[in-house]
Amino acid sequence: MADWTLHVLIDPKQVPLDGVDNLCRALRDGGATVAQLRGKHSDGGELIRYGEAFRRATRDTGILFIVNDRVDIAMAVQADGVHVGQDDIPVEVVRRLAPNLIVGLSVGSEAELRVAERARPDYIGMGPVYPTPSKDDAGEALNVDGFRRLCLRAKRLAPVVAIGGIQPDNAKPVWESGADGIAVISAVMGAPDKRAACFALLASRG
Amino acid sequence: MADWTLHVLIDPKQVPLDGVDNLCRALRDGGATVAQLRGKHSDGGELIRYGEAFRRATRDTGILFIVNDRVDIAMAVQADGVHVGQDDIPVEVVRRLAPNLIVGLSVGSEAELRVAERARPDYIGMGPVYPTPSKDDAGEALNVDGFRRLCLRAKRLAPVVAIGGIQPDNAKPVWESGADGIAVISAVMGAPDKRAACFALLASRG
Ligand code: NI
């Protein structure tokens, strides 16, 4: 059974290639369970190089490794899974191309939840919970009440991972709303001590 | 044997989805031999929809169908091939993922030709021959003399398709330099009569 507790999304632009090993060790030590490579502005060659580095480092540390959007990269580096948005390759096409990959799908509204109900992803990335500048393609924030309502329904379908502006000081109500996990970018990648940042996010679960 | 004579690169933003059939008929009637889907600013879902439409339309018209960059899209829509740049997924990784796909590789310098010599693509896209605003990631123009020199060496390796700023009125020296084919964007997609535009480009072969 996969552990969805703490996803950290990493852009290749945020870490040098030879820093991937250390980063993954810090994430593991802090309690992160999933690393997602998300290079919206990276070419395929860079994604392959980082994907291979993350595959090696996560295998060593026991962290699940997921690639955002690019099914070809996920297949080439033998990632554990791929995460797609509602505008990306449809889940059923991913299943056909790569039946062994875990598939996550983003959901940010009731309409998108209906898509998920048909598509049957292995987990749902739900958000943005809070307003955030880092996901440029994200919709309006659900806020805690909206997240709770949508999460309650989505949980019948698949584990729900909350995303969007989550930080140690606002994560508690997200856990209390039923999230099976949280996904962060800046809360960890923007912190000088990434292990401590992961730890603080998990401590917020209470 | 594939016919590399005239590639037309098409961005999903340049044609409505329900216009793909007519476009492919015009390309075929004008003598185009390859259609390449190149959506640098398209999400995977859009590429799948256009890829499926181009696959259907090109199968009907006998045009070869190639997808730029995204091996997953090429595999999912059963394209004939994929074209990668020097910064994209390496040719050998493409071969491993999808052994049946034709693989084209961009070459714009002697250093990049050496990469191609190791990678052994099925064809080489060489350019930019002329300065062009449409390939934002392209290097400096080779100009006709530079193209001729590089083409001469590359032809021993694979068929060479010239790209970059080629129009009916400057195509003749490109053919005379040994190009096995030419690839265009605006010369066809920017023309009101696409069939006539293809025809004019082929007439320049003399
Ligand atoms: Ni861009």
Side-chain angles (χ1 to χ4, degrees), chain A residues 40-41, chain B residues 40-41 136:
Chain A
K40 290 287 179 197
H41 297 285
Chain B
K40 290 286 180 198
H41 296 285
D136 46 36

Side-chain angles (χ1 to χ4, degrees), chain B residues 71-91:
Chain B
V71 183
D72 44 8
I73 305 292
M75 293 169 75
V77 305
Q78 301 184 274
D80 298 302
V82 67
H83 184 93
V84 290
Q86 296 261 337
D87 294 331
D88 294 333
I89 299 187
V91 172

Side-chain angles (χ1 to χ4, degrees), chain A residues 40 43-46 48-49 52 69-73 75-77 86-90 93 96-97 137, chain B residues 40 43-46 48-49 52 69-73 75-77 86-90 93 96-97 137:
Chain A
K40 290 287 179 197
D43 289 319
E46 186 171 62
I48 289 284
R49 289 191 297 279
E52 286 171 347
D69 175 25
R70 294 281 302 245
V71 183
D72 43 9
I73 305 293
M75 292 169 76
V77 305
Q86 296 261 337
D87 294 331
D88 294 333
I89 300 187
V93 177
R96 188 152 44 78
L97 284 174
D137 51 354
Chain B
K40 290 286 180 198
D43 290 319
E46 185 169 63
I48 289 284
R49 289 190 296 277
E52 287 172 346
D69 176 26
R70 294 282 304 246
V71 183
D72 44 8
I73 305 292
M75 293 169 75
V77 305
Q86 296 261 337
D87 294 331
D88 294 333
I89 299 187
V93 177
R96 188 152 44 77
L97 284 174
D137 50 353

